[in-house]
Amino acid sequence: MPFDEMLDADNRPRGPYSEYMSWYGEQDHARLLTKSRDAEAIFRKTGITFAVYGKEEAAERIIPFDIVPRVISGREWRKLAQGIEQRVAALNAFLDDIYHKQEIIRAGRVPRHLIERNEAFLPEMIGMRPPGGVYTHIIGTDIVRTGQDEFYVLEDNARTPSGVSYMLENRETMMQMFPELFHRVRVRPVENYPMLLRQSLEASAPPGCADKPRVAVLTPGIYNSAYYEHAFLADQMGVELVEGPDLRVIGGRVAMRTTQGYKPIDVLYRRVDDDFLDPLTFRPESALGVAGIMDVYRAGNITIANAPGTGIADDKAIYSYMPEIVEFYTGRKPLLENVPTYRCSEPDTLKYVLDNLADLVVKEVHGSGGYGMLVGPTASKKEITAFAAKLKSRPGNYIAQPTLSLSTVPILVKKGVAPRHVDLRPFVLVAPNRIQIIPGGLTRVALKAGSLVVNSSQGGGTKDTWVLED
Amino acid sequence: MQIRVSHSTEYNYSIPIHYALQRLRLTPRSGRGQTVVNWQTDIEGARVEVTYDDHFGNLTQLLSAEGDPHMIRIVAHGEVVTEDVNGVSGPHVGFAPLWLYLRDTHLTRAGKPIRDLARSIPGKDPLERLHGLMATISDKVAYEIGATDAKTTAEEALENGSGVCQDHSHIFLSAARFLDFPARYVSGYLLMDDRTEQVATHAWAEAFVEGLGWVGFDAANGISPDERYIRIATGLDFVDVSPVSGIRHGNSTETLAVAITVEQ
Amino acid sequence: MMLGRTANGLFWMFRYIERAENTARLIDAGVRMSLTGTQGSDDEWTSVLKSAGVEANFLQQYENVTGPDAIDFMLRDERNPSSVLSVINSARSNARMVRTALTREAWESTNECWIDLTSRLARRVKDADLPSVLDLIKQRTGLIRGAFHGTMLRNEIFNFSRIGTFIERADNTARILDVKYYLLLPAVTYVGSSLDNVQWVSILRSVSAHRSYGWVYESDLNPTNIADFLILNGRMPRSLAYCHEKITNNLGYLETEYSSRHNAHDTALEILETLRNRDIRAIIDGGLHQFLEDFIRRNSRLGQEIAEAYRFY
């Protein structure tokens, strides 16, 4: 039986959920179902949509929203937050090291070949220390829970993590629909995230810039799947939302074309991948980036958030070394555990993985979004055989993990509520000398009974995530 | 030996360009075997946006041009005092890890012919093998202008059996890396005995030999660099050190004229 | 401070919304004409297509003009970039692009307009449903305007949006007049015929002015007054004069806010001079067709000059 966060073995509400459950007991189920439909209408009206790749052009969907909140106690949160902070600090130290002296490789704690053959290692970043020394200004750490005190880090999203707009809109929607609930339960606020993000980005501005750094969000444009979020964040922060063709190198800086001519930008929160960031440096055909921005960056005249090349830190092959990485840079044992990870590149391990495919989750080292992965326990024999062939042909391309029994939280269904598996992505802001973790995050939930795949592209939904004041 | 260099690059456009960027790697630095006495880059029709050290430690400048220039002229010139250091440019400096210089690039990827060539080089002593490699390449690939272009890969050039210094260098890099030597591309100037006017910069390769550091091999000429050589920039292949590279917007056609003089 | 691309997006978002509404009105007037059945209704649809500026495109897709085809082409044909469905898509894409410049209300009304209209226009509209679909278009675009006026700051964002609206509207009114200008000429033989009356009402109806005309002129329909109403009357919100008063005002605000004046300001003023303190008879004597053609060309050039002045591209 997976661990249910709301109900214990005797079907009694656990501590953090007691107040919510007493409220829930007073509700008329039909009314809740109506509210649930209202929520969907709000999302559609607001335009909180994402585009699905590979479907019809510009097919816009909304991510299903479940109105039962996911509740985390203050005590649980503090423990999580400490662990995340330690990990994020280590990731930044790792990035600084890997693009400079590479002490961790010299010390033999991370094998050289992992970096050497890694596409995510960006030579253009060698010797480059970003303003304020911050590489990952925004991180979304994916966490899963398997028991009362058992939390594991599943992934460190250190490139351009998305989903924070859902955290904010989910809360907004819940507060609109159930204001009385927020009188009864004291939930820590998340709404100040955009302000904190802006302050955090401003604090990382290049040293030479004016008193009030100018921040902008760089989006690939309205056809990007996360465009809504880009516009939302720019709007909430009160900064410009720019696209590649708006920008140009002028006066040694990156400047945006306004109705009154070009104005320089100090901090660019880019939601464009490294490859597309600078056609003069990376993919020459990219129209999404700014030619010459890497030159301006190396000259120290702009902050790019997150820094290019941070992908080397959240690479799935590096992931298995995170315990060593945390210990190497912080001098302490990691507070948060890694999911045990089998590196298929090692022949003995590969054999074990092939023998136990039915019990394992196998992921592509460079994949994301739940594509190209095998969930052994729910896969058919045929799928397993096909995957084994792929694995054998390119073992270095895969890692495997035991199937974790992810915790469940109930969702609203036609008749009452029913448990579904969840994960959690808290959002972390890194400024020079300061790491902040917003109390809450994005809870993703697999809507199909028994399913462990929570990705929105694969039929997952989201929940509001409450961290209690206690 | 004091060498005087003037290196002019001129772009002419059929109609005014809308916007263009040019990235320059045209500034030699003092180091083992060379001391820069004076050096400057004069620019017409464009302005310098930023100057910085790239990830290989090369001094790099970004230029922009907009509005209505029909022409961009870049003239790098100066004087460098050199001495013969037997091709050894010395220990590795900078943050770029040595293993990075084992990375394949599109231009230097080793296919079977290059792997066979590398395997055919006898000897145990690293230096001896590298010299052997240089001699073999020098022997197999004739120096011939026009047989290849800037996009020709090492494999293509070897198959061709002819090429220019860029091709000799790429083949050398490819084979040396296959033999597990960190190796890098070097752009520079070469003082020639029979002429002062040249149409292109020179290029050679350097391989890293434990105990010695970086050692230069000019496979096009079959020798290690001496006091006639001036180093400008290093990288994994030609793309990393290209003296002038850029992009431009607009529909104009471009003509390029390069004039180099290298004299004592 | 505003991105040039944002100014461009606002300009076009509001041009497209205006166009959707204008197209709905044109179809409405066309349907009325065809119901009166006094003349070949296909001719009437040809002139509706001309007024909408899509006749040439239509004839590439269809052999000849029929009411149902013309209506479908103008309402929902994706091959027609000016069909209601196309312009609502474009307006919404532009609104998404300039999302950060819009209030939540302004954005949501645009998004809801798109959601409703794309669903109502997903299939060919039946004759019986046409009036309600045309109403929905006018209603939805009206709601956008309402949300916009009720919530947006009167700043540069507002100015660019308004300029877009009025450039489009002026273009539309001028085209309607130009297609039917001959009906407004004092040709002795036809004066006062019932046929003319129907045509004149149709012109007024296509700019939603058949009621207000009566309030202003307190007289029977006559072509000179109609021309005066649609060209020179400063209180008629779809007249050329009114549109250009607004454009000039909004350009004036931008001039003050940015402390800079461009060619566009002079061009706008020049156009306004051709509409201010003029006698309609003088315009008609000087050649109405010529006047309208000149106007359409200058109005469009003004749009380009604004795009250049404010770095739309």
Side-chain angles (χ1 to χ4, degrees), chain C residues 45-244:
Chain C
W45 283 111
T46 301
S47 73
V48 169
L49 290 167
K50 270 188 191 152
S51 300
V54 298
E55 190 209 13
N57 188 349
F58 179 89
L59 290 175
Q60 280 176 7
Q61 323 293 346
Y62 295 93
E63 297 251 316
N64 45 36
V65 179
T66 68
D69 286 346
I71 292 171
D72 191 61
F73 188 71
M74 291 175 73
L75 271 186
R76 44 182 301 277
D77 200 319
E78 284 174 4
R79 295 167 301 185
N80 172 10
S82 287
S83 73
V84 172
L85 193 60
S86 298
V87 295
I88 287 297
N89 264 321
S90 305
R92 198 249 187 181
S93 286
N94 276 287
R96 281 191 83 201
M97 189 175 84
V98 302
R99 174 67 187 84
T100 57
L102 301 174
T103 56
R104 189 159 186 148
E105 286 87 340
W107 155 250
E108 285 181 6
S109 58
T110 310
N111 194 39
E112 285 185 289
C113 169
W114 173 80
I115 291 170
D116 269 16
L117 291 182
T118 44
S119 115
R120 281 303 287 273
L121 296 176
R123 273 172 296 281
R124 211 173 231 260
V125 178
K126 291 191 199 111
D127 282 357
D129 295 337
L130 189 58
S132 68
V133 167
L134 295 176
D135 276 350
L136 182 70
I137 296 167
K138 286 186 252 173
Q139 229 175 55
R140 279 300 182 191
T141 49
L143 282 176
I144 297 174
R145 188 167 40 241
F148 184 74
H149 278 261
T151 60
M152 296 291 292
L153 277 180
R154 266 44 176 181
N155 60 6
E156 53 192 342
I157 298 175
F158 193 81
N159 301 138
F160 284 113
S161 309
R162 296 296 277 168
I163 292 170
T165 300
F166 288 112
I167 294 259
E168 177 70 25
R169 188 180 292 176
D171 180 72
N172 183 254
T173 301
R175 279 178 199 282
I176 289 171
L177 284 169
D178 197 30
V179 171
K180 302 238 169 154
Y181 79 96
Y182 55 90
L183 293 168
L184 300 174
L185 299 178
V188 187
T189 37
Y190 291 117
V191 171
S193 77
S194 66
L195 172 63
D196 278 351
N197 261 313
V198 170
Q199 289 280 7
W200 292 336
V201 171
S202 172
I203 292 176
L204 289 171
R205 193 183 291 282
S206 52
V207 290
S208 293
H210 45 299
R211 299 271 295 117
S212 55
Y213 174 87
W215 302 333
V216 176
Y217 293 92
E218 295 175 354
S219 74
D220 291 339
L221 292 175
N222 92 52
T224 312
N225 283 349
I226 292 175
D228 181 65
F229 195 37
L230 298 194
I231 296 174
L232 298 180
N233 192 306
R235 297 186 174 189
M236 157 57 186
R238 316 195 78 80
S239 76
L240 307 188
Y242 181 91
C243 291
H244 272 268

Side-chain angles (χ1 to χ4, degrees), chain A residues 99-102 105 112 115-119 121 123-127 248-253 278-281 291-292 294-296 298-299 301, chain B residues 18-19 21-23 47-56 60-62 64 66 94-97 99-100 102-103 180 236 240 245-247 249:
Chain A
Y99 287 119
H100 291 87
K101 293 185 176 169
Q102 304 202 328
I105 295 177
R112 190 179 99 183
I115 309 290
E116 193 176 47
R117 303 220 180 97
N118 204 315
E119 293 287 330
F121 175 82
E124 286 79 4
M125 283 298 291
I126 292 170
R248 183 176 275 195
V249 174
I250 288 186
R253 301 168 71 183
D278 182 353
L280 190 57
T281 306
M294 285 302 287
D295 303 69
V296 175
R298 281 201 78 101
N301 296 351
Chain B
H18 184 52
Y19 178 66
L21 290 176
Q22 299 285 5
R23 190 183 272 160
R47 59 172 185 245
V48 178
E49 292 290 349
V50 289
T51 303
Y52 63 95
D53 289 352
D54 74 5
H55 49 293
F56 294 111
T60 312
Q61 289 176 299
L62 184 73
S64 78
E66 67 175 318
F95 289 116
W99 55 252
L100 185 66
L102 291 165
R103 262 195 182 186
D180 221 23
L236 296 187
D240 288 335
S245 58
I247 58 165
H249 298 309

Side-chain angles (χ1 to χ4, degrees), chain B residues 1 3 34 44 62 64 73 81 85 103 111-112 144 156 160 171 185 202 219 233 243:
Chain B
M1 181 181 280
I3 302 176
Q34 68 181 36
E44 256 181 89
L62 184 73
S64 78
R73 183 188 292 133
V81 172
V85 288
R103 262 195 182 186
K112 191 167 182 301
E144 191 184 330
E156 287 162 357
N160 245 341
I171 298 168
Y185 190 98
H202 192 46

